[in-house]
Amino acid sequence: MEKKYKKTAAIVLAAGSGSRMSADKTKQMLEIDGKSILKHTLLAFEAAKSISEIVVVCRDGEQNFVNNELQSIGKCSKIVTGGKCRAESASIGFYQISDDIEYIMIHDAARCLITPYEIDLVAEAVYEYKAATASVAVSDTLKRCNGKRIAETVPRKDLRAVQTPQAFERDLYSRALACAPIIDETITDDNMLLENMGISPYCVETLPSNIKITTSYDLEFAEFILLKRKGEI
Ligand code: CTP
Ligand code: MG
């Protein structure tokens, strides 16, 4: 039986400067396997059955680039210029969603290996839990350090690495934004706004391949995964 999806907007954050990549372009513009990182991300949301609308938050000066990448992305309703930090860009995107949207899903454009399957999984979880996030169990042993010296081992049983998409009931996220004491770079993910209200978002198990492209090493990894998915290697 066909699943029943609710009106959900994806807010794709692509307003960063990519400083850690040290490239001559921002991360969203860099190409992997013949397509920009932004395009790979947009294609996944376009294909996800749970997504009815896409708002792209872009960097000032990159509007033309984004417009070009939107060919074949029929779900995009708005492009808006982002803010000084990720959290500000997310809030700017949120205020652009259509009136009939019931759920929102915030996603880093830099996580271009996200799949429609994972997006739909997060959507199903948010209908049930009102706040849900992509995440993976931590597999490395974690140490707290003093500089380069290990001070102690951090038990990893309850630790998860949180990714995006992060999805919320629209009204809940709206209240979380209103309650946030400050929107600045100390807010490193969207769940933090809910945590601040005493709400515990549900952790959906997503794939470890859903990395955030950050350095040039990640580009090689992403190319490998994309070619493997196409059956070319
Ligand atoms: N982002 C955004 N607005 C900002 C900063 C970041 O929309 N003011 C977006 C980025 O485009 C990215 C996502 O948030 O898709 C996660 O941020 P990050 O991986 O840190 O990307 P950058 O900020 O571009 O990279 P860096 O921190 O290395 O400069
Ligand atoms: Mg950043």
Side-chain angles (χ1 to χ4, degrees), residues 1-185:
M1 204 178 70
E2 186 77 350
K3 282 184 184 138
K4 181 105 184 67
Y5 290 110
K6 307 195 179 173
K7 283 268 179 192
T8 304
I11 299 164
V12 173
L13 304 179
S17 60
S19 55
R20 285 169 288 178
M21 182 63 77
S22 310
D24 56 356
K25 290 177 189 160
T26 57
K27 285 194 295 194
Q28 49 274 15
M29 295 179 91
L30 291 174
E31 291 203 353
I32 305 173
D33 187 28
K35 288 191 195 84
S36 72
I37 285 179
L38 176 63
K39 185 80 178 198
H40 284 290
T41 300
L42 291 172
L43 285 169
F45 281 88
E46 180 74 12
K49 292 201 174 67
S50 58
I51 298 300
S52 36
E53 169 176 275
I54 301 172
V55 169
V56 183
V57 184
C58 81
R59 193 169 162 76
D60 201 15
E62 291 186 358
Q63 285 86 351
N64 286 345
F65 156 71
V66 173
N67 262 317
N68 243 340
E69 300 307 89
L70 286 171
Q71 282 166 26
S72 76
I73 308 295
K75 292 179 183 173
C76 182
S77 60
K78 290 242 172 65
I79 309 176
V80 62
T81 304
K84 285 188 291 298
C85 62
R86 184 192 176 283
E88 194 183 347
S89 292
S91 72
I92 291 170
F94 175 70
Y95 291 117
Q96 296 300 320
I97 62 174
S98 300
D99 291 346
D100 62 347
I101 291 294
E102 297 167 87
Y103 294 91
I104 61 149
M105 212 182 264
I106 303 174
H107 186 71
D108 298 330
R111 289 186 193 271
C112 64
L113 297 177
I114 189 70
T115 58
Y117 173 73
E118 292 167 285
I119 294 167
D120 292 344
L121 272 186
V122 175
E124 284 163 37
V126 79
Y127 304 157
E128 188 166 353
Y129 300 102
K130 298 181 192 302
T133 182
S135 70
V136 284
V138 175
S139 55
D140 291 332
T141 296
L142 298 176
K143 307 287 187 188
R144 196 180 314 284
C145 295
N146 288 325
K148 297 259 168 165
R149 295 287 186 139
I150 291 173
E152 60 174 347
T153 302
V154 182
R156 70 169 177 230
K157 186 172 76 62
D158 297 324
L159 295 182
R160 298 191 70 80
V162 165
Q163 311 167 334
T164 68
Q166 304 191 355
F168 311 101
E169 199 183 61
R170 180 196 188 134
D171 293 343
L172 188 62
Y173 183 78
S174 177
R175 272 190 282 136
L177 262 184
C179 290
I182 189 160
I183 298 288
D184 65 10
E185 61 290 336

Side-chain angles (χ1 to χ4, degrees), residues 182-223:
I182 189 160
I183 298 288
D184 65 10
E185 61 290 336
T186 61
I187 313 277
T188 52
D189 86 338
D190 314 293
N191 294 311
M192 286 173 76
L193 298 182
L194 285 280
E195 294 162 37
N196 179 44
M197 291 205 305
I199 290 165
S200 303
Y202 180 85
C203 288
V204 178
E205 184 83 43
T206 34
L207 298 171
S209 55
N210 181 25
I211 58 162
K212 192 169 66 165
I213 306 286
T214 306
T215 66
S216 52
Y217 171 79
D218 300 326
L219 291 174
E220 287 176 36
F221 176 77
E223 183 171 24

